[in-house]
Amino acid sequence: MKNKIVVAVDGTAGSGKTATFATVAKKVGYEFIDTGLMYRAFTLLCIESKVDFLNKEEIIKTLVNFDFSVINGKPYLNGKEVEKRIQENDIVKFINYVTPIPEVRKFMVNAQRAMVTGGGCIEIGRDITTVVLPDADLKIYLDSSVEARAERRFKQNQVLKIKNNNLEEIKNSIINRDEQDFKNGLRKVENAWLIDNSNIPIEDVVNMVVDKIKELEGK
Ligand SMILES: Nc1ncnc2c1ncn2[C@@H]1O[C@H](COP(=O)(O)OP(=O)(O)O)[C@@H](O)[C@H]1O
Ligand SMILES: Nc1ccn([C@@H]2O[C@H](COP(=O)(O)OP(=O)(O)O)[C@@H](O)[C@H]2O)c(=O)n1
């Protein structure tokens, strides 16, 4: 009888967390939770509520109207499916005003911790191995060079037909988000497995992680 485990994944913007670990989760029959969707959906609510992003109190007050759920893998904000909308550039433009606010992070961390009720789950984000799931059975830190990440995001945006798709701007936005993420506490913890996928095909990373999960389940 295999013992399903808890997997916590952190990593830099655009390093491949979603694409890699959604596939891993499917292969091993685990639940997949992308905490970034929550921050993106909350940023969208703030935009729709026309908050002043320089006014922390207004952003904090908006939390009372924040109802987020994932149904069949799709994110819903207050009952409305927002999967494509939260990938738009305005979200990325404002998200760095939202993510550093302690009250916002506390709200999100509590919700993200409550979603993991036991083994058989992979949760990804920026503070999962450090704050949300510090006792996870397997901790992974995924990273890639800024150049590799910008290229990938540019191609991803082309596929998604995201407007104003510009490689230089993407590169700068990744550098800015890295800066904010490190300030918010993104880091590789001692017992995390560092995977730099700059030059490793996604299939190989998926297989490496699937093998590791199966090994730990057997223990
Ligand atoms: N090892 C890899 N090699 C090449 N491209 C990758 C690799 N891992 C992920 N990608 C691609 O990089 C892009 C960004 O990945 P994504 O999962 O959205 O990153 P994150 O969730 O970390 O922001 C996607 O187009 C994805 O298919
Ligand atoms: N647990 C998390 C997850 C995301 N975030 C923030 O939310 C933003 C969007 O998360 P994301 O995972 O969708 O970002 P990408 O790496 O997909 O571009 C990130 O830039 C982080 O700043 C966070 O602060 N904490």
Side-chain angles (χ1 to χ4, degrees):
M1 172 67 176
K2 67 179 187 178
N3 298 316
K4 292 197 166 192
I5 64 171
V6 174
V7 183
V9 183
D10 287 325
T12 48
S15 56
K17 297 182 297 303
T18 309
T20 307
F21 290 93
T23 307
V24 170
K26 234 182 237 127
K27 280 182 179 277
V28 295
Y30 276 30
E31 204 196 337
F32 173 68
I33 300 169
D34 178 351
T35 61
L37 298 179
M38 280 187 88
Y39 286 96
R40 285 173 178 267
F42 180 60
T43 304
L44 175 58
L45 179 61
C46 291
I47 292 170
E48 291 177 344
S49 311
K50 298 190 177 9
V51 306
D52 168 2
F53 279 96
L54 297 175
N55 183 326
K56 288 193 173 66
E57 286 315 313
E58 271 190 44
I59 293 174
I60 294 165
K61 279 205 198 95
T62 309
L63 282 167
V64 289
N65 303 321
F66 181 53
D67 170 30
F68 177 80
S69 52
V70 177
I71 304 165
N72 298 329
K74 289 192 182 298
Y76 282 72
L77 169 64
N78 298 350
K80 202 172 84 188
E81 196 265 285
V82 290
E83 184 175 59
K84 181 150 184 302
R85 176 61 185 88
I86 59 176
Q87 295 304 328
E88 297 291 342
N89 289 336
D90 59 339
I91 302 290
V92 176
K93 194 163 132 235
F94 291 112
I95 206 157
N96 284 343
Y97 291 95
V98 169
T99 58
I101 302 173
E103 292 82 349
V104 171
R105 298 206 71 85
K106 188 161 177 290
F107 178 98
M108 300 292 175
V109 165
N110 288 336
Q112 289 153 13
R113 201 173 277 149
M115 290 172 183
V116 180
T117 49
C121 178
I122 300 177
E123 190 162 63
I124 71 168
R126 300 294 197 286
D127 57 348
I128 314 304
T129 60
T130 48
V131 179
V132 181
L133 301 173
D135 301 329
D137 304 299
L138 172 59
K139 295 183 178 182
I140 296 172
Y141 187 90
L142 187 67
D143 202 1
S144 343
S145 67
V146 172
E147 291 67 29
R149 289 187 277 147
E151 275 296 325
R152 294 170 189 173
R153 186 63 81 188
F154 181 76
K155 286 193 199 115
Q156 194 179 25
N157 286 349
Q158 280 178 321
V159 170
L160 292 171
K161 298 189 174 38
I162 298 284
K163 302 183 278 298
N164 313 322
N165 193 21
N166 173 299
L167 185 60
E168 218 27 56
E169 280 173 18
I170 291 174
K171 203 165 156 190
N172 292 333
S173 127
I174 284 177
I175 292 168
N176 291 338
R177 276 206 296 148
D178 281 358
E179 229 171 83
Q180 189 56 59
D181 287 339
F182 293 134
K183 267 193 221 140
N184 288 348
L186 171 65
R187 63 187 172 81
K188 179 195 147 339
V189 289
E190 191 62 30
N191 59 350
W193 173 20
L194 169 63
I195 300 177
D196 182 328
N197 67 9
S198 306
N199 303 300
I200 311 176
I202 189 166
E203 303 74 32
D204 294 0
V205 180
V206 166
N207 292 334
M208 279 157 58
V209 176
V210 168
D211 290 349
K212 187 70 185 168
I213 290 174
K214 290 204 163 113
E215 178 202 319
L216 293 175
E217 283 178 335
K219 277 198 171 144

